[in-house]
Amino acid sequence: MTYLYELLKQLISSLLLSVDNVVQNFGISIIIATIIVRIILLPLTLKQDKSMKAMKKIQPELEILKEKYGNDKQLLNQKTMELYQKHKVNPAGGCLPLLVQLPILFALFGVLRGGIIPEDSKFLWLELTKPDPFYIFPLLNGAISFFQQKLMGNSDNPQMKNMMYMFPIMMIFISYKMPGGLQLYWLTSSLTAVLQQYFIMKKGD
């Protein structure tokens, strides 16, 4: 795992430096490199969306099974698996693409933390090696996270409702002390994910 992590860091570092050699601005380089990574991961995003739609489609049947066999966990699990097989649904299909993305995202965080950005690098008012002094980027990250949860969530699900409000607050709390480069990456990645999700939903199946 350590070897894979270091390999991913080298690849992402090379991508970031290659882009910066062209645009000569590390802030813009982070934006472009992040978009490239999101485009590379688009097939996984599509696979995740397809799996989520399939799970949503069979949700009424799952509720019927819970009502019918709720007192017998073993039989409920058996009937649930039979339902998955009947509709050719993989319940882990929505999670696996995310798990594949995590090493890439952690590696990108590691690259940006690792001193690759010069101390005097700026993007707008933001110093890329220091936290945002005005907390604008953390607040934007929280707002985009809220919009993303609202776009993807189910308003009829109480857990999704709670997550819709809790997750953005967590994003603000986690990111407000991050270096500006990481905040810029996070915001770009979230915006790109929202745009991808919008067009996926607009296009449908």
Side-chain angles (χ1 to χ4, degrees):
M1 289 299 293
T2 303
Y3 172 77
L4 177 61
Y5 177 71
E6 292 299 326
L7 178 61
L8 285 172
K9 281 179 63 176
Q10 291 177 15
L11 290 173
I12 292 170
S13 178
S14 298
L15 172 62
L16 196 55
L17 290 172
S18 297
V19 174
D20 190 63
N21 286 335
V22 177
V23 301
Q24 297 294 307
N25 182 294
F26 251 100
I28 297 174
S29 300
I30 290 171
I31 293 173
I32 294 174
T34 304
I35 292 172
I36 290 172
V37 171
R38 293 295 312 191
I39 291 173
I40 292 172
L41 297 176
L42 181 57
L44 295 177
T45 303
L46 294 172
K47 184 176 181 181
Q48 179 190 3
D49 182 75
K50 185 177 179 180
S51 177
M52 289 173 64
K53 285 179 179 177
M55 286 295 296
K56 189 175 181 179
K57 190 175 181 179
I58 66 170
Q59 193 63 38
E61 295 183 61
L62 286 172
E63 293 298 326
I64 292 173
L65 290 180
K66 287 179 183 178
E67 291 180 7
K68 192 173 182 179
Y69 303 106
N71 295 327
D72 189 336
K73 296 296 182 183
Q74 185 174 354
L75 185 57
L76 175 61
N77 290 335
Q78 179 184 334
K79 294 294 183 180
T80 301
M81 291 306 299
E82 289 175 1
L83 182 64
Y84 289 153
Q85 292 173 0
K86 176 183 174 182
H87 292 278
K88 298 180 180 179
V89 173
N90 182 0
C95 301
L96 288 176
L98 289 175
L99 294 177
V100 173
Q101 290 181 52
L102 283 177
I104 299 173
L105 299 179
F106 284 140
L108 184 53
F109 270 80
V111 168
L112 295 178
R113 283 197 185 105
I116 190 174
I117 304 174
E119 287 289 331
D120 58 349
S121 294
K122 284 189 174 183
F123 180 76
L124 302 176
W125 71 88
L126 195 66
E127 294 186 51
L128 298 179
T129 58
K130 299 178 182 178
D132 183 351
F134 305 113
Y135 306 109
I136 294 175
F137 269 72
L139 290 173
L140 284 174
N141 279 320
I144 294 298
S145 296
F146 175 78
F147 182 75
Q148 190 174 8
Q149 292 291 319
K150 194 169 183 179
L151 186 66
M152 299 175 65
N154 184 354
S155 59
D156 296 329
N157 189 326
Q159 291 181 339
M160 290 301 296
K161 271 188 175 181
N162 292 334
M163 185 61 69
M164 191 182 298
Y165 294 102
M166 291 300 298
F167 193 70
I169 295 173
M170 288 172 57
M171 291 301 98
I172 295 172
F173 180 77
I174 291 171
S175 67
Y176 84 102
K177 284 189 176 181
M178 283 182 177
L182 290 180
Q183 294 182 13
L184 181 58
Y185 151 72
W186 202 324
L187 182 63
T188 304
S189 182
S190 297
L191 281 171
T192 307
V194 167
L195 288 173
Q196 286 179 342
Q197 187 64 31
Y198 172 77
F199 285 112
I200 289 170
M201 292 174 66
K202 188 174 180 181
K203 187 170 179 61
D205 294 335

